[in-house]
């Protein structure tokens, strides 16, 4: 039973007990603050707390008393010293917190005092408050007096600022660690599009600011961020609830205290929203009184590590009942008996924050122990008569380092403990009730990448069996890139296929990367593969046809030569220099066969061979034709009386003419090969998607010089053949030469534009076609008629027939 001290105007309520050293306590026991009207004519009364008692915070208060009693009974910690306490109610209100702070400084006017003693000395340290906003107010007052304030539940990151709060300590981690952990939790499950609600208090505002900063670093987008407070008008809380109902984000991160969250969930319960995956801060995710909201099943959040403190549970339940609910007013009762039957106070399955209170009391006790106790001859002696100043406790508190019940307690330079959270998942039991289940942990002391771990099976929002999807836009698959939607967050984008020649091989790629020069994307544009190398090969149809024509032409030339050799004594073979005919057939055979060097993969030797062989064999061929044409002209001139021209162009001169004309082409080819020879080259410009393996000319001048020389001889030969075409004989060879040169010139005139305009391997095919066409023209026009007469009209193969004039 706690007695009410009635000296003067009612004050802020408090629980007190005498001791050698007094520890203060500040907790938000009530939900509401009674506002006093000031008329400035009388002395204003202090603010008073009204409304129902918060049973959860009442357990914090009782835990502090339990810890002090346990220390007072200890023979190792502060032996022979009795700690006292003064515990006040701040009502989660700054005016009350300020009033409490000054009362603790003055050490007088307590309201509830065990034993009726209404006088107390000042405190050496204070445990509290259970909220960030009241703790900020108290800390700013205490800093001028070096009074340490150890909070078990004030998590605002702002309290780590030692410039503003030099004497503040806490046994609960800073919200900065919690915010980072929540952001990593959201990113772990791929939730890139979320909603956010928060308490409109220092806890909610600072905590959400830290979370949003961490979320941005993780690439998470926020659809909305709404603030509310328990004292807000119902219309404002309803407005926040409507935002949650209408949003497209499936995941909602709530950085709120349990008291504030209770009001929002009650409003949502009137018209439950579509399934929402709730992500909770430690302020409410571990509160068992919120488990009745079934639409929150599957909620995940970070919670303070659950502890097992021997004897605490029995102590909390060891109260004399006098009512069936916590509806007693601590400001009006002269004999307050805590009512526990059928009360939420009896719910002691989740004593998470109680452990923080327990640690805070023990941290202060260890600091006092280090200040007043000495160990002599193995025995600890403590001086309870020493004048202990709060500053000494503050100094010793900075160096506290101990373990209790398996949990380590120490503070860093900012007064913060080591950050460790349990991951809690609200799961439905077989009975249908929602229970908080620990499924993992977040340990900020571990290296990056090992801090976050899930050990258990998770359940999700009702009706969902797999991880819920919460994105503004579906992920862009490999082969596409993200293009942001105008005026929307970075998580809202369109997926655009990569342009030609570029790929993306990761999901949600912001850019497409070009493939290396000799690579090309696959059809999905998610990987680069070597470009196919294209050249005129013997394996493809076009190559096979051209090779067959080449071999056929060579066989035809060899066959004609065989016919001529077999009938070499006949007049038609002897009629026009059979030696030149055989040389012409040999050169035609080489012309047909040299086209084979154009087929197949180009190499350094094949590139030099194909053009030089072509140039030399064709000049040899045309030289022979030219020699035969000159022989025809001179032969008819020699039939005139007194003409002796044939002695100037006999067999020797004919051979020399052919050799000299061919030697000029050889010299041109040698110069070409020495100065800038043809070479194999990968042509990447004609087609982007494939490589053309071709023979580069090396020197364009050399190539066109070879062709030009062939063309010059062909034109000259054609002119002479035209002049000799009307000479009188049954077998005038000049006519056949004229037709063959006409075909030859026509082929090579059309070759030039076709060669220049044909892409890739078709350039080679055009050149082979020109070689074969001109070669077939020569052999068919010059030798086919002779072979026909030899084989099928032998009666015409006589000197008499050949010498007859038309």
């Amino acid at each position: 039973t706690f007695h009410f001290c009635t000296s003067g105007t009612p004050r802020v309520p408090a629980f007190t007990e005498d001791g050698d050293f007094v520890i203060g306590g500040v907790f938000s026991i009530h939900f509401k603050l009674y506002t006093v009207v000031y008329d400035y004519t009388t002395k204003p009364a202090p603010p008073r707390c009204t409304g129902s008692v918060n049973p959860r915070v009442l357990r914090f208060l009782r835990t502090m008393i339990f810890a002090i009693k346990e220390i007072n009974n200890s023979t190792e910690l502060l032996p022979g010293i009795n700690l006292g306490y003064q515990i006040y109610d701040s009502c989660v209100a700054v005016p009350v917190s300020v009033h409490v702070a000054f009362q603790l400084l003055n050490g007088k006017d307590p309201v509830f005092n065990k034993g009726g003693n209404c006088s107390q000395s000042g405190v050496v340290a204070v445990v509290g408050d259970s909220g960030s906003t009241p703790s900020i107010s108290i800390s700013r007052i205490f800093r001028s007096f070096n009074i340490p304030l150890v909070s078990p539940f004030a998590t605002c990151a702002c309290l780590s600022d030692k410039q503003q709060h030099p004497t503040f300590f806490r046994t609960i981690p800073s919200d900065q660690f919690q915010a980072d952990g929540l952001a990593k939790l959201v990113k772990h499950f791929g939730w890139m599009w979320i909603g956010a609600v928060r308490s409109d208090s220092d806890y909610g505002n600072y905590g959400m600011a830290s979370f949003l900063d961490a979320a941005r670093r993780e690439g998470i987008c926020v659809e909305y961020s709404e603030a509310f407070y328990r004292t807000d008008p119902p219309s404002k809380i309803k407005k926040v609830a409507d935002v949650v109902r209408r949003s497209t984000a499936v995941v909602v991160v709530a950085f709120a205290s349990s008291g504030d969250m209770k009001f929002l969930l009650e409003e949502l319960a009137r018209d439950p929203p579509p399934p929402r995956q709730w992500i909770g801060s430690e302020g409410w995710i571990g509160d068992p009184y919120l488990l009745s909201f079934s639409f929150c099943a599957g909620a995940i959040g970070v919670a303070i590590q659950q502890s097992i403190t021997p004897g605490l549970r029995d102590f909390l339940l060891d109260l004399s009942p006098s009512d069936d609910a916590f509806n007693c007013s601590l400001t009006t009762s002269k004999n307050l008996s805590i009512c526990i039957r059928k009360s939420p106070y009896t719910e002691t399955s989740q004593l998470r924050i109680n452990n923080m209170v327990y640690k805070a009391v023990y941290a202060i006790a260890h600091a006092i122990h280090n200040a007043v106790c000495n160990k002599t001859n193995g025995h600890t002696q403590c001086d309870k008569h020493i004048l202990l100043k709060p500053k000494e406790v503050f100094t010793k508190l900075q160096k506290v380092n101990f373990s209790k019940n398996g949990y380590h307690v120490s503070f860093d330079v900012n007064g913060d403990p080591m950050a460790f959270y349990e991951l809690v998942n609200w799961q439905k039991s077989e009975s249908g009730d929602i229970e908080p289940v620990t499924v993992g942990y977040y340990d900020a002391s571990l290296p990056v990448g090992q801090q976050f771990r899930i050990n258990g099976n998770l359940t999700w929002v009702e009706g969902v069996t797999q991880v819920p999807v919460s994105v503004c836009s579906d992920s862009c698959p490999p082969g596409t890139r993200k293009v942001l939607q105008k005026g929307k967050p970075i998580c809202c984008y369109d997926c655009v296929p990569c342009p030609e020649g570029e790929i993306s091989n990761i999901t949600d790629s912001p850019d497409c990367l070009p493939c290396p020069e000799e690579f090309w994307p696959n059809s999905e544009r998610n990987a680069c593969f070597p470009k196919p190398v294209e050249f005129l090969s013997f394996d493809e149809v076009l190559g096979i046809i051209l090779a067959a024509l080449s071999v056929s032409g060579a066989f035809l030339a060899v066959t004609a030569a065989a016919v001529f050799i077999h009938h070499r004594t006949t007049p038609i073979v002897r009629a026009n220099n059979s030696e030149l005919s055989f040389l012409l057939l040999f050169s035609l055979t080489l012309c047909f066969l040299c086209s084979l060097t154009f087929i197949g993969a180009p190499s350094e030797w094949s590139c030099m061979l194909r053009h030089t062989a072509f140039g030399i064999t064709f000049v040899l061929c045309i030289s022979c034709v030219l020699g035969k044409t000159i022989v025809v002209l001179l032969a008819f001139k020699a039939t005139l009386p007194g003409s002796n021209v044939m002695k100037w162009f006999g067999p020797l001169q004919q051979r020399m003419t052919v050799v000299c004309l061919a030697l000029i082409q050889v010299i041109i080819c040698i110069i070409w090969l020495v100065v800038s020879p043809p070479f194999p080259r990968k042509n990447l410009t004609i087609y982007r998607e494939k490589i053309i393996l071709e023979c580069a000319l090396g020197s364009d001048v050399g190539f066109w010089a070879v062709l030009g020389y062939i063309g010059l001889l062909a034109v000259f030969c054609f002119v002479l053949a035209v002049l000799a075409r009307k000479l009188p004989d049954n077998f005038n060879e000049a006519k056949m030469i004229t037709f063959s040169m006409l075909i030859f010139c026509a082929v090579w005139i059309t070759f030039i534009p076709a060669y220049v305009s044909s892409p890739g391997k078709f350039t080679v095919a055009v050149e082979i076609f020109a070689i074969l066409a001109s070669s077939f023209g020569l052999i068919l026009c010059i030798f086919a008629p002779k072979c026909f007469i030899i084989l099928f009209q032998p009666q015409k193969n006589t000197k008499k027939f050949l010498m007859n004039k038309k």
Side-chain angles (χ1 to χ4, degrees), residues 15-30:
F15 296 92
T16 67
E17 183 172 307
D18 292 335
D20 300 313
F21 303 107
V22 179
I23 300 175
V26 184
F27 297 95
S28 302
I29 304 171
H30 285 83

Side-chain angles (χ1 to χ4, degrees), residues 8-328:
T9 308
R11 302 287 183 177
V12 179
F15 296 92
T16 67
E17 183 172 307
D18 292 335
D20 300 313
F21 303 107
V22 179
I23 300 175
V26 184
F27 297 95
S28 302
I29 304 171
H30 285 83
F31 282 116
K32 295 182 181 179
L33 170 68
Y34 175 76
T35 306
V36 178
V37 178
Y38 299 93
D39 59 7
Y40 301 101
T41 60
T42 61
K43 181 180 178 181
R48 294 185 297 172
C49 298
T50 62
S52 60
V53 172
N54 185 337
R56 188 187 188 201
V57 178
L58 191 59
R59 286 208 309 269
F60 301 165
L61 179 155
R62 292 278 295 160
T63 300
M64 178 178 174
I65 297 175
F66 168 79
I68 291 176
K69 288 182 178 294
E70 190 176 76
I71 293 169
N72 288 340
N73 293 327
S74 174
T75 58
E76 296 181 358
L77 184 62
L78 292 173
I81 289 181
N82 189 52
L83 295 179
Y85 55 83
Q86 286 185 359
I87 304 176
Y88 288 80
D89 184 2
S90 67
C91 305
V92 202
V94 172
V96 180
S97 301
V98 172
H99 187 80
V100 165
F102 284 114
Q103 279 197 295
L104 289 169
L105 285 173
N106 295 334
K108 59 183 180 180
D109 291 337
V111 179
F112 289 93
N113 177 21
K114 187 172 184 179
N117 183 6
C118 291
S119 64
Q120 276 288 345
S121 60
V123 297
V124 294
V126 176
V127 176
D129 190 344
S130 51
S132 293
T133 300
S135 296
I136 291 172
S137 303
I138 298 172
S139 176
R140 285 174 176 166
I141 296 173
F142 282 178
R143 69 181 179 182
S144 300
F145 302 94
N146 292 315
I147 297 178
L149 175 65
V150 184
S151 175
F153 204 34
T155 58
C156 179
C158 58
L159 287 165
S160 297
D161 184 357
K162 289 296 126 180
Q163 296 293 327
Q164 295 291 326
H165 310 281
T167 63
F168 180 82
F169 299 84
R170 53 183 157 202
T171 52
I172 190 170
S174 165
D175 280 340
Q176 184 62 56
F177 299 106
Q178 180 180 192
D180 291 342
L182 289 174
K184 286 182 172 61
L185 177 68
V186 172
K187 180 65 177 292
H188 176 79
F189 291 109
W191 296 322
M192 309 306 292
W193 184 241
I194 64 171
V197 294
R198 67 186 187 277
S199 292
D200 194 4
S201 61
D202 289 306
Y203 169 72
N205 292 329
Y206 279 101
M208 183 56 73
S210 297
F211 169 77
L212 294 179
D213 185 56
R216 277 190 290 269
R217 292 196 301 269
E218 298 288 348
I220 300 167
C221 299
V222 180
E223 182 182 7
Y224 60 87
S225 180
E226 297 291 334
F228 65 97
Y229 197 63
R230 70 189 74 181
T231 58
D232 287 340
S235 59
K236 183 176 180 180
I237 296 179
K238 184 178 184 300
K239 181 181 177 182
V240 175
D242 288 340
V243 172
V244 175
R245 293 185 183 106
R246 294 194 304 265
S247 70
T248 59
V250 175
V251 175
V252 182
V253 177
F255 217 110
S257 65
S258 60
D260 295 337
M261 200 64 187
K262 175 176 175 289
F263 283 86
L264 177 62
L265 295 181
E266 286 175 348
E267 175 59 38
L268 287 171
R270 294 187 177 93
D271 182 14
R276 293 287 182 261
Q277 178 64 53
W278 291 91
I279 307 297
S281 66
E282 44 75 32
W284 67 274
I285 198 68
D287 191 346
Y289 313 125
L290 301 180
L291 297 175
S292 59
F293 297 99
S294 59
F295 59 86
C296 289
I300 309 172
V302 295
I304 301 303
Q305 188 176 16
Q306 191 163 309
S307 65
I308 299 177
T309 304
L312 177 59
R313 191 182 306 273
D314 294 336
F315 179 83
L316 293 175
L317 298 177
D318 186 19
L319 290 173
S320 300
S322 63
D323 202 344
D324 58 358
F326 277 115
N327 292 321
C328 311

Side-chain angles (χ1 to χ4, degrees), residues 539-592:
D539 297 328
E540 57 183 301
V541 175
L542 181 59
I544 293 173
I545 293 174
L546 293 176
L549 291 175
S550 176
V551 173
S552 300
F555 177 76
L556 192 61
V558 171
T559 302
V563 171
F564 269 48
I565 291 173
H566 188 265
H567 300 278
R568 60 185 177 278
T569 58
T570 60
I572 201 168
V573 175
R574 300 177 60 191
N576 192 358
N577 197 332
S578 60
E579 186 176 337
L580 285 179
S581 296
F582 286 117
L583 185 59
L584 177 58
L585 287 171
F586 173 73
S587 62
L588 281 174
T589 303
L590 295 180
C591 286
F592 282 115

Side-chain angles (χ1 to χ4, degrees), residues 725 727-732 735 803-806:
R725 75 186 188 282
L727 294 178
D729 254 356
N730 277 336
F731 193 83
N732 185 357
K735 294 179 182 178
M803 295 300 295
N804 285 338
K805 294 181 173 59
K806 291 183 180 179

Side-chain angles (χ1 to χ4, degrees), residues 668-705:
I668 294 174
C669 289
I670 291 174
I671 295 173
W672 182 14
L673 294 177
V674 171
V675 175
S676 181
F679 59 91
R681 178 183 66 180
K682 294 179 179 179
N683 192 327
L684 304 172
T685 59
I686 297 178
Y687 300 105
R688 296 189 62 189
E689 70 280 3
K690 57 185 176 182
I691 299 173
I692 302 300
L693 192 58
E694 62 183 10
C695 283
L697 296 177
S699 171
D700 291 338
V701 175
F703 175 71
W704 292 110

Side-chain angles (χ1 to χ4, degrees), residues 597 600-610 678-680 693-695:
T597 63
S603 64
E604 186 175 352
W605 286 103
S606 67
C607 286
M608 291 189 292
L609 178 62
R610 64 173 57 171
F679 59 91
L693 192 58
E694 62 183 10
C695 283

